[in-house]
Amino acid sequence: GVISADTSLSMPDFRAAERTFQLVAQVAGRAGRGEHAGHVVVQTNNPREPSIVLAARHDYVRFAGIELGHRAAAGLPPISRMARIVCRHEVLKEAENAAARIAKGLLAAAVALGERVVLTGPMPCPISRIGDHHRIAVELLADGRAVLQRVLGTVRVQGLLISDAHTAVDVDPLALL
């Protein structure tokens, strides 16, 4: 059984439906592998949620079509490419200032290169503090890998973007928490 199958849908990540589908489909796929047919119970507050309904039916093709349509409409991966930069610091203002410098540099680089990008942030990460470090994120979307790499590369050459103990650069991130 899957208890509260829709909990992961409320995660602040564009892949939430994909993860929900994967979880329900995996559990449902394990039922009935033995001699006897299995039965799966899925508890949800959203019984019409496509990721849950289609996972229970093992209808990956239909789910993928719906999900890719949503991603295309929003300009999200895999339709576009993404880089996520997280600035971490014990002092919140330091993390915010570092993220603001990087965001400003990314926008300036995109304009100078004549590239079209979408920049989100600086903004607190969904998990805004881990240990004694505050976390501020900047997300960059570009139409393709080459555009993303040119913009990031320009900011790296300028010394504004250095992956170190205070700054993490994740290209095509698997999670946004």
Side-chain angles (χ1 to χ4, degrees):
V2 182
I3 306 298
S4 298
D6 45 17
T7 300
S8 60
L9 290 170
S10 63
M11 299 300 275
D13 191 331
F14 68 91
R15 291 185 177 94
E18 180 181 343
R19 287 193 172 93
T20 300
F21 179 92
Q22 180 182 16
L23 173 70
V24 174
Q26 182 180 25
V27 171
R30 292 181 187 273
R33 284 191 179 172
E35 286 182 40
H36 306 289
H39 183 75
V40 177
V41 176
V42 178
Q43 179 196 39
T44 178
N45 289 318
N46 302 306
R48 291 186 177 94
E49 166 60 39
S51 61
I52 293 171
V53 172
L54 297 173
R57 293 181 192 155
H58 292 286
D59 191 348
Y60 171 77
V61 172
R62 186 151 180 238
F63 171 75
I66 291 168
E67 189 64 17
L68 286 171
H70 293 316
R71 303 252 186 112
L76 292 168
I79 308 306
S80 63
R81 300 300 293 263
M82 176 185 272
R84 182 169 189 256
I85 298 111
V86 176
C87 297
R88 303 176 290 237
H89 204 280
E90 297 88 353
V91 178
L92 177 59
K93 195 66 176 165
E94 292 294 326
E96 291 172 338
N97 290 342
R101 282 191 301 273
I102 291 169
K104 185 177 177 182
L106 290 168
L107 281 178
V111 169
L113 294 166
E115 300 290 6
R116 183 176 119 17
V117 298
V118 175
L119 183 90
T120 306
M123 61 196 165
C125 293
I127 301 174
S128 61
R129 189 172 173 149
I130 295 179
D132 60 349
H133 286 81
H134 297 275
R135 302 170 69 237
I136 305 295
V138 175
E139 295 171 0
L140 184 69
L141 287 167
D143 288 337
R145 181 178 173 268
V147 172
L148 192 66
Q149 292 301 327
R150 279 193 294 275
V151 173
L152 290 172
T154 299
V155 178
R156 280 190 182 110
V157 168
Q158 296 169 349
L160 293 172
L161 186 60
I162 300 167
S163 188
D164 59 15
H166 290 287
T167 307
V169 180
D170 191 359
V171 175
D172 294 327
L174 295 178
L176 300 178
L177 296 178

